[in-house]
Amino acid sequence: MPPVMLFGATEDFIPVELSDSVSIDTVNEDDQSLESSEPDQIPDSLDASDSTPDALELNDTNAYRMMASVNRYEVEPNNSYTQANRTYDDDNMYGRITVTTDVDWFVVSFSSAGQANFWLGEIPSGCDYDLYLYASNGTNLLFSSLSAGNASELITYKVSANTNYYVKIVSYKGSSNSYYCFRAKNYPTAADRYEPNNTMAAATSISNNVTITDANIHTASDVDYYKFTISKASNATIDLTNIPSGCNYDLRLYNSTGTQISSSANSGNNPEKITATLNAGTYYIYVCSWSGYSNSNYRLALATSAAATADRYEPNNTMAAATSISNNTTITDANIHTASDVDYYKFTISTASNATIDLTNIPSGCDYDLRLYNSAGTQIGISASSSNNPEKITTTLNSGTYYVYVCSWSGFSNSSYRLALATTTSPTDPFSITGNISFNVPLTVNVASANQKKYYKFTAPNNGTYTFISYENGNCDPKGWLYNSAGFELDNDDDGSGDANYRISYTLDRGQVVYLAAGCWSTGTGTYKLVVVQEKTLAVPLYKQNERNTCGAASGRMVLASYGIAVTEEDFKNRAAKEAAEGDDFTYAYAVTRTINYFMNENGNQTRYKSVNISNYTSADYAALVLRNLSYSYPVIPQIAVTSNSGGFPYTSSGHYVVSKGMRYQGSSTKYEAVVNDSHPDHSAVYNVRNVNMLAYNKAHNGKLILCVLD
């Protein structure tokens, strides 16, 4: 009888001669108990001349070794997962594929979670067998190994404890009466010294400034809680680093009631970070796995320091509590001392005046914004530069009370900012004005007599080209004239909109004052609407969606590309799936919004997008939102429903995402022309289509807009 190869204490096979009294263990098909096989069941192919399987590596430093504990032999039929032969951790299972159509199934489970190797070797010469690993239901494919020829196959997979894993062995080429060898061996993961700390009740107590370097996520279900207490308001920074390769861990922070107050969920094994200002109390740090686990340790660092203190003007966090200041004053001892702190200042002017508001000396690492409101609480000016660059608002104001608002886009500090307000009496207007007209705010013009002109004063809020448009003209024929602040005519128009309405466009500098004379052609009279818009088409690249129903990812990628951020569709989809799973709002619009913000922040861009439900908005409200974004060069993602092929769309859909990169008024308060990028692969003939009633399409599908936050 030829010798049988058994694994010994070394990597090489040890030949052992078997006498007639030596039995070989195999598995009964019915009860999987060990039986004594006859000597002639021992494969002739196993002799002392056979070589050891190729060395298989788990990583760069640990050589793959397996030491068999028991030899087993397949029992036919085992041609489906329901007939799978049971094998055990570190046992050799010998089988044969005597015809190419034969399929062999085995099932194995492990007592501990870990990283298991599923190895197929000793494949007969001239044959090519493949190895497939399935989940506990026997149908979900987890992994496969498809090496060429009779080279060994190996699958390395992280396994859970007491879970069945099914293995299928098939012939890609050839069959033989000689035996192959299959073996599954698990390398268990070990719990760290802080276990059990899988609940808040069992959380490991740590000090306020500590670094943990010997903790791990050792199973797919393992989570780690840490508890710390602070005695006074503090700034806290929590860093999770050294996340093992192949793993994706997330970080969360909870208060003592179990409410999540912050989180960090970056992709891959990128570091996670939470920065928060906390009141006195007990808090919980939560480390969990989005995917993967390992024996390798992560690094968790907690650092706390006393929080910034309030300035002498507090509390001034609301208009009602605004600090009163004079018309020409400079404040140098105020700060934004927490992430939620905002500062209001109130001033009053008795006559029409020019006002300049400067916000400077913004602390390093902070990004503060500046806004101006009238007494009704309506925003009439904004400055939102990046980083700690200065902010400035210049405008012309009528007599009344106004509010200056200072807030943080990111960061806060004990260091003071500098706020300066300067007002000067406006020169006499060259015309007897009817009133002011504001950007994106429609008003009604009533021309009551022949040759009458109503003069409206307009101050440009930003650099750009502004268009003065009449609409809803009824039976009159509107005509408009544009003048500069010295009273010289700049332009006029009668039928510039292609109908009886006028359309005057002019490029203005921020703070520049012009006057619009609103009248009618010839001696006509009547009533119509007037609005000032900034018509701008953005340079947004067009991406086709690679798969069906991925217009949200394609649109999000277009928005990111407009900021110079390149993201693949696969990366965007994966991140959106994660955001949808972790968010409070499970709508896709929420996931797209969060994903855009994730990649923006990852690339150092502080611009924020949000999903806005506009189902109850008027047409003017809708246009104001979109035009406001476009005025600041921020593209918008409308979620539209296409129920016919009108408006340039050659298909129907219950919901579809496009990117608005421009918008124009079309002489009616209910119709606005949007210039969009459409990612749908069937729309090659209508890319950059113009849809004259985008609002109606939005409202037909729950009215969602994804747009940049400006206030």
Side-chain angles (χ1 to χ4, degrees):
M1 176 176 292
V4 175
M5 307 297 289
L6 296 179
F7 287 111
T10 67
E11 186 172 353
D12 295 329
F13 285 106
I14 300 176
V16 178
E17 296 289 345
L18 298 178
S19 66
D20 291 343
S21 62
V22 177
S23 64
I24 303 297
D25 292 323
T26 187
V27 181
N28 182 277
E29 178 185 11
D30 297 324
D31 60 13
Q32 304 295 326
S33 61
L34 298 180
E35 294 183 345
S36 177
S37 64
E38 296 298 325
D40 59 8
Q41 290 180 280
I42 302 173
D44 293 337
S45 62
L46 301 180
D47 56 37
S49 65
D50 287 341
S51 62
T52 304
D54 295 337
L56 306 175
E57 296 186 353
L58 290 176
N59 52 46
D60 292 343
T61 58
N62 297 319
Y64 168 90
R65 293 191 177 188
M66 293 183 176
M67 295 180 291
S69 55
V70 175
N71 290 338
R72 302 180 185 278
Y73 292 86
E74 72 163 321
V75 178
E76 293 283 0
N78 63 339
N79 297 338
S80 68
Y81 80 90
T82 59
Q83 300 172 322
N85 289 181
R86 171 70 66 175
T87 187
Y88 298 90
D89 188 2
D90 204 18
D91 285 358
N92 287 330
M93 175 62 79
Y94 292 96
R96 295 185 295 185
I97 295 182
T98 56
V99 294
T100 56
T101 57
D102 185 24
V103 177
D104 291 344
W105 283 82
F106 303 99
V107 59
V108 62
S109 62
F110 307 97
S111 59
S112 302
Q115 183 166 275
N117 289 322
F118 299 84
W119 178 78
L120 174 64
E122 301 180 26
I123 299 171
S125 177
C127 296
D128 183 355
Y129 298 166
D130 291 334
L131 182 65
Y132 296 86
L133 178 65
Y134 291 84
S136 58
N137 60 7
T139 57
N140 289 350
L141 180 65
L142 301 176
F143 221 85
S144 62
S145 177
L146 311 172
S147 300
N150 69 331
S152 298
E153 309 286 353
L154 176 67
I155 295 173
T156 299
Y157 191 80
K158 289 182 177 179
V159 296
S160 300
N162 304 314
T163 301
N164 282 334
Y165 293 89
Y166 287 87
V167 173
K168 181 174 71 172
I169 299 173
V170 301
S171 171
Y172 178 76
K173 176 184 176 182
S175 59
S176 175
N177 284 324
S178 298
Y179 284 82
Y180 61 77
C181 180
F182 166 71
R183 180 166 58 251
K185 180 175 176 59
N186 184 32
Y187 295 83
T189 52
D192 57 55
R193 69 185 181 92
Y194 303 101
E195 295 292 345
N197 62 340
N198 289 14
T199 64
M200 284 189 178
T204 299
S205 294
I206 57 176
S207 61
N208 292 347
N209 291 278
V210 70
T211 299
I212 294 173
T213 59
D214 55 349
N216 61 32
I217 299 294
H218 64 284
T219 68
S221 60
D222 183 28
V223 297
D224 292 342
Y225 279 94
Y226 302 91
K227 177 173 64 174
F228 68 96
T229 301
I230 52 178
S231 58
K232 60 183 178 180
S234 302
N235 298 322
T237 300
I238 308 166
D239 289 284
L240 177 63
T241 57
N242 291 2
I243 298 172
S245 176
C247 297
N248 181 356
Y249 297 168
D250 289 344
L251 183 65
R252 300 176 195 169
L253 179 64
Y254 295 88
N255 63 18
S256 58
T257 65
T259 301
Q260 180 177 307
I261 55 178
S262 189
S263 66
S264 177
N266 294 324
S267 60
N269 67 329
N270 291 312
E272 308 290 351
K273 188 184 191 80
I274 291 175
T275 300
T277 300
L278 306 175
N279 292 323
T282 298
Y283 297 88
Y284 294 85
I285 299 171
Y286 176 81
V287 180
C288 65
S289 170
W290 171 259
S291 63
Y293 53 91
S294 174
N295 268 331
S296 298
N297 296 323
Y298 58 76
R299 179 182 183 274
L300 181 69
L302 167 66
T304 61
S305 60
T309 56
D311 58 54
R312 68 185 180 92
Y313 303 101
E314 294 292 345
N316 62 340
N317 289 14
T318 64
M319 283 188 179
T323 299
S324 293
I325 58 176
S326 61
N327 292 347
N328 290 277
T329 190
T330 300
I331 293 173
T332 59
D333 56 349
N335 62 30
I336 300 294
H337 64 284
T338 69
S340 60
D341 183 29
V342 298
D343 293 342
Y344 279 93
Y345 301 91
K346 177 174 65 174
F347 67 96
T348 301
I349 53 178
S350 58
T351 60
S353 302
N354 295 321
T356 300
I357 308 165
D358 289 284
L359 177 63
T360 57
N361 290 2
I362 298 171
S364 176
C366 298
D367 182 358
Y368 297 169
D369 290 342
L370 182 65
R371 301 176 198 169
L372 180 64
Y373 295 89
N374 62 20
S375 58
T378 301
Q379 180 178 299
I380 57 175
I382 183 173
S383 178
S385 300
S386 61
S387 188
N388 67 329
N389 292 314
E391 308 290 352
K392 187 185 191 77
I393 294 175
T394 301
T395 187
T396 300
L397 303 175
N398 292 324
S399 60
T401 298
Y402 297 88
Y403 295 84
V404 178
Y405 174 82
V406 180
C407 65
S408 170
W409 174 263
S410 64
F412 53 91
S413 174
N414 264 330
S415 299
S416 299
Y417 57 76
R418 179 181 183 276
L419 180 70
L421 167 66
T423 61
T424 57
T425 302
S426 297
T428 303
D429 291 322
F431 305 102
S432 176
I433 64 171
T434 303
N436 292 331
I437 182 171
S438 300
F439 179 58
N440 279 341
V441 180
L443 58 80
T444 300
V445 176
N446 181 21
V447 181
S449 59
N451 300 314
Q452 183 183 22
K453 292 181 180 179
K454 297 290 187 72
Y455 290 93
Y456 297 93
K457 184 177 180 180
F458 175 73
T459 304
N462 293 288
N463 297 337
T465 299
Y466 294 86
T467 302
F468 300 78
I469 303 172
S470 65
Y471 62 96
E472 292 188 6
N473 54 312
N475 295 324
C476 70
D477 185 357
K479 184 174 181 178
W481 297 259
L482 190 67
Y483 300 89
N484 66 14
S485 58
F488 294 102
E489 183 177 321
L490 302 173
D491 199 359
N492 70 80
D493 184 62
D494 179 20
D495 300 329
S497 296
D499 52 26
N501 289 293
Y502 58 78
R503 185 191 199 104
I504 301 174
S505 294
Y506 207 83
T507 300
L508 303 173
D509 294 329
R510 178 179 179 181
Q512 185 175 349
V513 175
V514 291
Y515 297 85
L516 179 76
C520 290
W521 182 80
S522 186
T523 58
T525 60
T527 301
Y528 58 87
K529 293 280 185 69
L530 169 65
V531 72
V532 184
V533 298
Q534 192 174 15
E535 298 184 356
K536 186 172 184 178
T537 300
L538 309 179
V540 179
L542 174 66
Y543 294 143
K544 295 182 182 180
Q545 58 196 79
N546 297 322
E547 300 177 27
R548 186 175 179 84
N549 298 326
T550 59
C551 54
S555 297
R557 291 177 62 221
M558 291 185 215
V559 170
L560 291 169
S562 73
Y563 295 89
I565 302 171
V567 177
T568 66
E569 183 171 296
E570 191 66 24
D571 285 346
F572 196 99
K573 285 166 47 186
N574 290 342
R575 187 68 204 181
K578 184 172 183 178
E579 295 293 351
E582 292 189 354
D584 298 325
D585 179 349
F586 289 90
T587 64
Y588 192 52
Y590 173 92
V592 173
T593 305
R594 287 288 299 270
T595 302
I596 290 173
N597 290 337
Y598 169 80
F599 286 111
M600 285 235 183
N601 293 333
E602 192 176 57
N603 287 273
N605 193 314
Q606 294 299 314
T607 302
R608 291 181 294 184
Y609 273 73
K610 67 178 179 179
S611 176
V612 177
N613 189 314
I614 52 94
S615 58
N616 294 321
Y617 276 46
T618 66
S619 299
D621 292 334
Y622 173 85
L625 281 175
V626 175
L627 284 166
R628 182 184 62 175
N629 255 46
L630 300 177
S631 296
Y632 287 90
S633 298
Y634 302 147
V636 181
I637 301 179
Q639 183 182 24
I640 65 172
V642 182
T643 55
S644 70
N645 62 0
S646 63
F649 287 97
Y651 81 120
T652 60
S653 171
S654 61
H656 181 57
Y657 285 93
V658 297
V659 176
S660 282
K661 62 175 186 176
M663 179 169 279
R664 296 181 176 92
Y665 277 76
Q666 285 298 290
S668 169
S669 63
T670 60
K671 291 185 179 179
Y672 302 95
E673 178 184 73
V675 182
V676 305
N677 277 354
D678 180 7
S679 66
H680 199 287
D682 296 341
H683 300 177
S684 57
V686 290
Y687 287 131
N688 303 320
V689 297
R690 293 176 177 178
N691 185 342
V692 298
N693 201 344
M694 187 66 77
L695 174 63
Y697 283 120
N698 271 263
K699 284 194 173 183
H701 198 66
N702 297 324
K704 290 289 173 63
L705 275 181
I706 297 174
L707 72 164
C708 180
V709 178
L710 295 180
D711 57 15

